[in-house]
Amino acid sequence: MISTIAMPIKGLKRIGLTFQNNVHYQLHPDELIKDALKRDEGELADTGALVIKTGEFTGRCPKDKFIVSDEITADTVHWGGFNQPIEEKFFHVIYGKIMHYLNGRKEVWVRDCFACADPQYKLSIRVVNETPALNLFAYNMFMRPSEHDLETFEPEWTILNAPGLKLNAAECGIRQSNAAVVSFKHKTILIAGTGYTGEIKKGIFTILNYVLPQQEGVLSMHCSANMGEDGDTALFFGLSGTGKTTLSADPERKLIGDDEHGWSDKNVFNFEGGCYAKCINLSKEKEPEIFNAVHDGALLENINFYEGTHTVNYDDSTITENTRVSYPLSYIGNAIEPSIGSQPKNIFFLTCDANGVLPPVSRLNPAQAMYQFISGYTAKVAGTEAGVTEPKSTFSACFGAPFLPLHPGKYAEMLGEKLKSTNVKVWLINTGWTGGSYGVGNRMKLSYTRAMISAALKGELDKVNFEADPVFGFEIPLSCPNVPVEILNPRNTWDNKAAYDERANALALEFVKNFEKYAAGVSEEILKAAPKAV
């Protein structure tokens, strides 16, 4: 299919494109794949998916992400940690270098698209890419405008993406040769020196996490969402590798989205038009919806084939544990269109506990829910960030600290208001280790996790008895359909009970220590929900 859509020449010239090169606008995926193959950017798998390597970076680089400090952000962004300031003058330096670089290429690829499924909050985006493969990623991940939409399309935000450009750190006010820079004043995201596609999607997620809570009163969330046949919406919070994408792709429920959502006074809506799934150890038996989505138009990253074939070896982590696939939401057969759901009835906080001491399923009261949301405990799973090769305990506020420009208390306050005004049930799900910590125990079986979530969604856990965890206070069910009773209380799965008690207490102390920085801004009720460390 050849694109016949008129190119917005004036708009592209306004951002600095000189048209000395061949500018490809709004190409169909078939054309993008053809261009990528012609340029030796990738290969086709036997399923028809395009396979690429992202180069030096196979994960996000949080230390190389910056927000321009200016009159808009100086007093509103929660600076420090993941929110690193950069002077506006350096934004202009990097912008100029990217435009000079892109104008020096023989070809560039441009795509207009949207974020936010609810028309009331729709954000128009223009993406300018150095490569067709990255433009395919933008096609897969953002919402695709109709030809009618494009006739009057005016981008509110622009992404300039130049993975082949290595920056001079001293000249550009950055740490090394790669950077992702967000300017709320200029409504522009600059990405240079990294070919990792996730920087594109998380750049837009970052701006929505700033704009929606402040300007629209919408809670932005790092979560997946699905809906049952009765219209009951469920939210799944968690960082990369905890199971958001996998667990929301449920054949018995309709998928709203797998990663980024907004919760307004009237609904839950997806920010994206696609899914970005981890595919290490992917199999048709474990994750059939994702496995079957890897076909023509899907984009696989950093995987290898079985030798002498074009069949993907999903178990191969030679390049990275963070192997990925992106595809349009429509590739999931039971996805909702438009991707909007009702007010949620169940919320699941997913954690990958490398300590092996948290229960696989537990029920939280409102205070515990707020405490856990602010804490955002999980483990950094290998490959999701550069330099992480094995699980490491971490606390990420609101299960998404790297993408939150505002103080975590803002998001927590908004969630607290939602919990108080609804009858939503909150559950903590540990998809991490059982029977011991990482290196001793085993990862929780996906089939058991699915059974626990299914029981919660169907109300089956409302009919069983619970016991309180003596350290963390969560309510642990004494039984759960299709799950062995002996694994429900994590202490029972450890051979050495004293070692479990010691590790559980150590984790409790980590919770308390981490929460100190939030203690002044929360209620006494939430503070009392802290684990009981000794």
Side-chain angles (χ1 to χ4, degrees), residues 8-28:
I9 294 175
K10 287 184 179 179
L12 293 173
K13 284 185 175 179
R14 195 159 52 239
I15 65 174
L17 282 180
T18 61
F19 286 86
Q20 295 173 350
N21 48 15
N22 191 3
V23 178
H24 303 284
Y25 177 65
Q26 220 67 10
L27 294 193
H28 186 272

Side-chain angles (χ1 to χ4, degrees), residues 273-490:
C275 299
Y276 189 48
K278 290 197 73 171
C279 51
I280 191 69
N281 304 130
L282 179 65
S283 69
K284 190 169 185 176
E285 293 70 34
K286 291 181 180 179
E287 300 166 273
E289 291 78 24
I290 298 172
F291 186 90
N292 291 330
V294 186
H295 58 76
D296 297 35
L299 180 66
L300 282 160
E301 300 173 26
N302 300 316
I303 60 89
N304 287 314
F305 299 129
Y306 287 104
E307 188 174 352
T309 75
H310 280 257
T311 300
V312 176
N313 181 357
Y314 290 112
D315 297 328
D316 188 335
S317 60
T318 304
I319 301 173
T320 178
E321 287 276 341
N322 192 34
T323 53
R324 292 276 181 171
V325 61
S326 63
Y327 47 83
L329 196 61
S330 60
Y331 281 28
I332 299 294
N334 59 347
I336 297 173
E337 179 62 38
S339 46
I340 299 174
S342 60
Q343 296 286 330
K345 290 189 176 181
N346 287 278
I347 295 176
F348 298 92
F349 292 159
L350 307 177
T351 182
C352 172
D353 177 28
N355 292 282
V357 299
L358 294 183
V361 58
S362 53
R363 188 170 61 190
L364 311 185
N365 62 38
Q368 291 169 338
M370 292 303 302
Y371 189 95
Q372 291 301 316
F373 183 67
I374 294 172
S375 298
Y377 167 72
T378 188
K380 285 183 180 178
V381 179
T384 56
E385 288 183 12
V388 178
T389 56
E390 64 179 49
K392 179 182 178 183
S393 295
T394 188
F395 293 89
S396 184
C398 311
F399 296 96
F403 323 116
L404 304 182
L406 306 177
H407 191 285
K410 173 65 176 177
Y411 309 98
E413 178 186 354
M414 295 181 75
L415 179 65
E417 292 171 355
K418 300 283 189 187
L419 294 180
K420 291 173 184 177
S421 63
T422 65
N423 294 319
V424 62
K425 296 174 184 175
V426 184
W427 309 85
L428 182 69
I429 302 291
N430 176 20
T431 65
W433 276 259
T434 181
S437 58
Y438 174 77
V440 177
N442 299 301
R443 192 85 189 253
M444 181 63 60
K445 287 185 178 180
L446 178 60
S447 59
Y448 293 161
T449 300
R450 286 196 186 279
M452 295 175 217
I453 289 174
S454 177
L457 289 170
K458 294 176 180 178
E460 293 173 336
L461 292 184
D462 298 339
K463 306 169 186 176
V464 306
N465 293 321
F466 288 78
E467 62 179 345
D469 184 289
V471 177
F472 296 95
F474 314 140
E475 290 187 309
I476 303 173
L478 296 180
S479 63
C480 178
N482 302 310
V483 178
V485 171
E486 57 270 20
I487 73 166
L488 294 174
N489 187 319

